[in-house]
Amino acid sequence: MQLTQFTDIGLRVLMYLTQHQRESLVTIAELAEQFQLSHNHLIKVVNQLVKLNWVESTRGRNGGLRLGIPAHQLHLGRLIRALEGHTPLIECDKAACVLTGSCHLQRILAESLNQFYQYLDQYTLADIVRDPTQSILQQLHQQWATH
Amino acid sequence: MQLTQFTDIGLRVLMYLTQHQRESLVTIAELAEQFQLSHNHLIKVVNQLVKLNWVESTRGRNGGLRLGIPAHQLHLGRLIRALEGHTPLIECDKAACVLTGSCHLQRILAESLNQFYQYLDQYTLADIVRDPTQSILQQLHQQWATH
């Protein structure tokens, strides 16, 4: 059981954007180099984050990305649930299970997943970038901006 | 986020084996046909279930598989945790994250996963095969045994 690559990238992008500096926004090129990710993958994820209003995108010469909502208001359960979408933990139809519709596993798994997200909702994006992470992110961005 | 195919198959096998009848054990061939799964996939999973003592395998003409532990003693959290193994929900090294070792996400995800498994531990294998599942399983096995 693993989070999707989409969620993984989404979390990295959001974490990176927590070290916002007014005069130097973050670009897709910067994210691609820092996390060694392809532009294509990143653009799909960033578009989704913009659609959710979690990221603001500004066009133009000094344009770029920044958080659309303060990090301490982005609860991890809500965030990961939205990035993961509604795929169930087990797909009854995938291997055409003879028990589809009769077994009680799907419901119990869905309840357990709710517990998982509820626990995560105790924490926000701000919690996962506490130092030393925040300092490292600032250094990374400064190095990029001055190179 | 989805359970692995290995866990999915493991759960289906265990559910199927709950409708044990002393005179007619379940074979790999029967499981393969009922769930439309390949022998190879099934054998790997069944070997692991035997190693965990959750399934007993008997050789010989009337040989086959049956549960090694009563279904009401097999708690779902323990069961799914063992089948899933220790892969973390997010792999920091997979895309070589610059934040590896500094960020707090991995720990928080691990705690949340514990909550997920603890919730699942309220239920047992017996709970997910309550009727109508149990009756369907018995019918499936009888049809197979007499065809």
Side-chain angles (χ1 to χ4, degrees):
Chain A
M1 184 162 57
Q2 292 203 302
L3 300 182
T4 61
Q5 196 193 20
F6 191 87
T7 302
D8 186 346
I9 297 175
L11 290 168
R12 292 184 198 205
V13 168
L14 290 168
M15 288 168 74
Y16 199 85
L17 296 182
T18 56
Q19 47 74 45
H20 168 60
Q21 287 153 39
R22 183 175 291 272
E23 298 308 315
S24 103
L25 298 183
V26 171
T27 60
I28 296 276
E30 177 175 353
L31 291 167
E33 191 174 299
Q34 299 286 22
F35 291 114
Q36 297 288 300
L37 291 166
S38 83
H39 278 240
N40 277 353
H41 269 127
L42 269 167
I43 284 168
K44 276 185 207 158
V45 177
V46 168
N47 282 345
Q48 180 66 12
L49 297 175
V50 169
K51 205 181 271 181
L52 288 159
N53 295 320
W54 297 344
V55 167
E56 266 176 35
S57 170
T58 318
R59 289 173 187 271
R61 205 166 68 87
N62 293 315
L65 308 168
R66 69 177 130 196
L67 282 187
I69 294 177
H72 68 273
Q73 288 177 22
L74 278 171
H75 291 266
L76 292 186
R78 181 179 150 221
L79 203 153
I80 296 178
R81 195 192 282 264
L83 293 172
E84 284 291 308
H86 296 287
T87 319
L89 284 175
I90 233 169
E91 284 192 77
C92 306
D93 304 339
K94 212 172 176 178
C97 184
V98 278
L99 299 171
T100 301
S102 83
C103 109
H104 306 276
L105 182 59
Q106 195 66 271
R107 179 183 53 79
I108 291 172
L109 284 174
E111 286 170 19
S112 311
L113 193 59
N114 270 337
Q115 294 294 310
F116 171 80
Y117 286 129
Q118 272 179 35
Y119 187 88
L120 273 173
D121 268 334
Q122 294 176 87
Y123 298 96
T124 69
L125 182 61
D127 292 317
I128 55 172
V129 294
R130 284 199 320 268
D131 272 330
T133 318
Q134 193 56 230
S135 310
I136 293 169
L137 287 169
Q138 278 160 3
Q139 276 169 35
L140 287 169
H141 182 58
Q142 273 157 22
Q143 278 163 21
W144 170 270
T146 55
H147 85 168
Chain B
M1 183 162 58
Q2 292 203 302
L3 299 182
T4 61
Q5 195 192 21
F6 191 87
T7 302
D8 186 346
I9 297 175
L11 289 168
R12 292 184 198 204
V13 169
L14 290 168
M15 288 166 75
Y16 199 85
L17 295 182
T18 56
Q19 48 73 44
H20 168 60
Q21 286 152 40
R22 184 175 292 269
E23 298 308 313
S24 107
L25 298 183
V26 172
T27 60
I28 297 275
E30 178 175 353
L31 291 167
E33 191 176 299
Q34 300 286 23
F35 291 113
Q36 297 287 300
L37 291 165
S38 82
H39 278 241
N40 277 353
H41 270 127
L42 270 166
I43 284 168
K44 277 186 205 156
V45 177
V46 168
N47 282 344
Q48 179 68 11
L49 296 175
V50 169
K51 206 183 270 180
L52 288 159
N53 295 320
W54 298 344
V55 167
E56 266 177 33
S57 171
T58 318
R59 289 174 189 272
R61 205 167 68 89
N62 293 315
L65 307 168
R66 68 177 130 195
L67 282 187
I69 294 176
H72 67 273
Q73 287 177 22
L74 278 170
H75 292 266
L76 292 185
R78 181 180 150 219
L79 203 153
I80 296 178
R81 195 192 282 265
L83 292 172
E84 284 289 310
H86 296 287
T87 318
L89 283 176
I90 231 170
E91 284 191 80
C92 306
D93 304 340
K94 209 170 174 182
C97 184
V98 279
L99 298 171
T100 300
S102 83
C103 109
H104 305 277
L105 181 58
Q106 195 65 271
R107 178 183 54 77
I108 291 172
L109 284 174
E111 286 170 21
S112 311
L113 193 58
N114 270 337
Q115 293 294 311
F116 171 79
Y117 285 129
Q118 271 178 37
Y119 187 87
L120 274 173
D121 268 333
Q122 294 176 85
Y123 298 96
T124 69
L125 183 61
D127 292 317
I128 55 173
V129 294
R130 284 199 321 267
D131 271 331
T133 318
Q134 192 57 230
S135 309
I136 293 170
L137 287 168
Q138 278 161 3
Q139 277 169 33
L140 287 169
H141 182 58
Q142 273 159 20
Q143 278 164 19
W144 170 271
T146 55
H147 86 168

